[in-house]
Amino acid sequence: MGGLTTPAYSPLPVAIRSGPVGSISGRRPSVGSSTPSMMIKELWRRELRLDLLRADYHTPQKFTQTEWQDPRQPPALWYVVYRWLSAGLFVAVAVCSVLDAGREGQDLGVRYVKWPIYLTNWGLACCCLQAALGAGLATANFVQERRQRRGGRLPRTLYHPLAPRCTERDAAPSGQGGLGSPGAVLQAPSLPLLHRLYWVLNTISITVAIGITCTYWVAVYDPSEHVLDALNILVHAANSALMLVDVLMSAHPLRLLHAFWPLLFVFVYLSFSLVYFLAGGTDRMDRTCVYPVLDWERPTRTTVVCVLGLSFVVAVHTAVWALQLARRRVARSLREAKAAANKGEKKDPGVQLDAMA
């Protein structure tokens, strides 16, 4: 895969010790005495840390795996196949959209030139890019780790599942145990550039695709003007369906604070629509507004629409974040139940990996 190869990481040692909450013991803290309100506060406190604004994560292989597999294994073959099917579907929809497949009555040159002025097509292009990059990363990791396993070597992309990402800020005073103790301060590898790019594009695509679908069918679609055909459904509904499936299938996290990525994406488009209007641009029907709800000839109303639209982006992103939390919780519960059935009280290392993440 050329530039899509997963970087080589050496297995990291880890100090297994007992100690206070936060020490590396391989066990999750007991939450039996926690009330629902305390758990919710803890969830928000954990998700609203400013350091989570960065596109960084301690387990790169999570971006090439599915949630429904053993996290210690290479990407499942069926998941790699799924990633390529998803990429192929998105590319096919994009091609049909550019060509206006099945429609007549308009010059092809107009279709090509005006295709980039629509937010729907911006979102579709982003979906294509993230799907292709995700498929390439999963395939590269799958091939690399299979080759290493056949050679009898430990895959270099896997480091110890209990190794946390620590910095000097986490260091505790000497003698108090925990992550700050000598021998326990470990530095997990930072997320590679291509993984970061995929994470950004994927987060934008999920939120924007769902937002586009909801906005189009509620505020834009007009039966007297728009044709309800297969292409319309593919572009304004199938995109969201495919991205929702991706949320349920993938293993990488979705950060609440990363809502600023789709916010920035939509803000850039809104700015483009204003500049396009001021430059005298028109839509395919030679109207001065690309969308009726974005008519800059009525600036006050359109400004209100923009503010509401950006607020809706945050709401959609929050809903998707809650969905991926539910996905991770269900997958972890299934692994815990399987570990309890197979090994009694002995925890599966895959469950420990989820807990530490």
Side-chain angles (χ1 to χ4, degrees):
M1 295 296 299
L4 294 179
T5 56
T6 307
Y9 302 133
S10 299
L12 299 179
V14 61
I16 306 298
R17 65 178 77 233
S18 59
V21 175
S23 63
I24 307 176
S25 61
R27 294 174 295 179
R28 285 186 295 169
S30 173
V31 295
S33 59
S34 300
T35 64
S37 60
M38 292 174 59
M39 296 174 66
I40 292 175
K41 288 181 181 178
E42 174 62 20
L43 176 64
W44 284 104
R45 185 194 67 80
R46 188 173 70 244
E47 285 292 330
L48 296 180
R49 301 199 321 266
L50 292 181
D51 61 308
L52 294 182
L53 285 170
R54 296 180 294 112
D56 202 4
Y57 195 64
H58 54 74
T59 315
Q61 58 265 33
K62 279 286 186 179
F63 293 82
T64 61
Q65 294 175 328
T66 176
E67 191 75 75
W68 313 103
Q69 70 166 85
D70 186 338
R72 297 165 296 171
Q73 300 298 321
L77 176 59
W78 67 264
Y79 181 68
V80 176
V81 173
Y82 155 76
R83 294 245 51 115
W84 282 109
L85 287 175
S86 177
L89 286 173
F90 272 121
V91 172
V93 172
V95 171
C96 290
S97 175
V98 172
L99 297 177
D100 253 359
R103 297 177 181 175
E104 298 179 356
Q106 193 173 51
D107 181 73
L108 284 178
V110 175
R111 300 180 189 178
Y112 298 151
V113 172
K114 298 295 179 71
W115 190 86
I117 70 173
Y118 294 94
L119 179 60
T120 297
N121 299 333
W122 281 38
L124 186 55
C126 193
C127 287
C128 290
L129 290 175
Q130 67 84 29
L133 186 55
L137 290 173
T139 303
N141 195 7
F142 176 83
V143 172
Q144 180 185 10
E145 294 194 13
R146 287 299 176 94
R147 286 177 177 173
Q148 292 173 351
R149 287 175 183 271
R150 283 199 299 266
R153 294 178 295 167
L154 180 68
R156 293 176 296 173
T157 57
L158 297 178
Y159 49 87
H160 200 289
L162 296 182
R165 180 174 179 80
C166 310
T167 63
E168 293 181 358
R169 295 178 302 171
D170 300 316
S174 177
Q176 293 188 8
L179 296 181
S181 300
V185 178
L186 303 172
Q187 181 68 39
S190 62
L191 198 62
L193 178 60
L194 287 179
H195 291 65
R196 295 177 189 233
L197 178 59
Y198 166 70
W199 198 5
V200 172
L201 292 175
N202 182 262
T203 301
I204 292 174
S205 298
I206 293 169
T207 302
V208 171
I210 297 174
I212 286 173
T213 295
C214 296
T215 304
Y216 177 79
W217 295 108
V218 171
V220 176
Y221 176 71
D222 183 357
S224 63
E225 177 182 343
H226 301 103
V227 180
L228 186 59
D229 57 4
L231 180 59
N232 199 351
I233 294 175
L234 285 174
V235 171
H236 295 109
N239 56 340
S240 296
L242 289 172
M243 292 311 304
L244 282 173
V245 171
D246 196 72
V247 173
L248 297 175
M249 298 293 289
S250 59
H252 64 268
L254 188 143
R255 300 296 192 200
L256 187 60
L257 288 181
H258 288 176
F260 80 91
W261 292 340
L263 274 175
L264 180 61
F265 183 88
V266 174
F267 178 79
V268 169
Y269 176 79
L270 295 176
S271 301
F272 160 78
S273 70
L274 175 58
V275 172
Y276 187 74
F277 166 76
L278 294 176
T282 60
D283 69 352
R284 289 182 175 182
M285 306 300 294
D286 289 328
R287 294 172 299 193
T288 57
C289 59
V290 177
Y291 293 106
V293 294
L294 280 181
D295 186 357
W296 289 104
E297 290 184 340
R298 305 170 66 179
T300 301
R301 191 197 72 164
T302 302
T303 301
V304 172
V305 169
C306 291
V307 173
L308 293 176
L310 293 173
S311 302
F312 184 60
V313 169
V314 176
V316 171
H317 184 85
T318 303
V320 176
W321 168 75
L323 178 62
Q324 67 90 30
L325 283 183
R327 177 204 74 201
R328 297 174 69 182
R329 181 65 179 270
V330 170
R332 182 188 301 173
S333 298
L334 292 175
R335 278 194 284 267
E336 289 177 341
K338 181 180 179 181
N342 294 340
K343 303 178 182 179
E345 295 183 355
K346 187 177 180 181
K347 285 284 187 178
D348 188 329
V351 177
Q352 295 180 1
L353 173 59
D354 285 343
M356 293 302 297

